[in-house]
Amino acid sequence: MGGKRGREVPVSYLVTLLAGVLLGFLVAEFGGVLTHHPVEAVLVFVLTCSIAVLAWACRELLHDLFHRGDRPRPNGVRH
């Protein structure tokens, strides 16, 4: 019925897969440290998540900055 279409996998799925593999490796390698120093492990986790959110926000800001002229303005008004 129709043309042959390939399956596309979103990049976010691949990033999530790689993050899961990396996290699994880190837990397997340093699991003993997590049990001996749980407070420090939670603080490092929160810091890592904060850096990831900051990186995502910077990416969104840069994307908006570079693609600002691509969007049509309402009522044809130019700024």
Side-chain angles (χ1 to χ4, degrees), residues 30-41:
F30 301 108
V33 174
L34 297 176
T35 57
H36 292 296
H37 306 286
V39 174
E40 289 84 355

Side-chain angles (χ1 to χ4, degrees), residues 10-26:
V11 175
S12 61
Y13 289 3
L14 296 175
V15 170
T16 304
L17 175 68
L18 290 176
V21 169
L22 179 66
L23 185 61
F25 172 76
L26 289 175

Side-chain angles (χ1 to χ4, degrees), residues 3-76:
K4 184 177 180 181
R5 291 177 45 188
R7 292 186 69 146
E8 295 181 13
V9 177
V11 175
S12 61
Y13 289 3
L14 296 175
V15 170
T16 304
L17 175 68
L18 290 176
V21 169
L22 179 66
L23 185 61
F25 172 76
L26 289 175
V27 168
E29 192 68 29
F30 301 108
V33 174
L34 297 176
T35 57
H36 292 296
H37 306 286
V39 174
E40 289 84 355
V42 169
L43 290 174
V44 169
F45 177 74
V46 169
L47 177 64
T48 304
C49 289
S50 301
I51 291 171
V53 168
L54 181 62
W56 173 79
C58 289
R59 179 196 158 278
E60 290 293 318
L61 286 171
L62 289 174
H63 182 267
D64 288 345
L65 178 68
F66 289 127
H67 292 78
R68 185 183 313 188
D70 296 346
R71 285 184 253 157
R73 300 285 180 185
N75 299 326

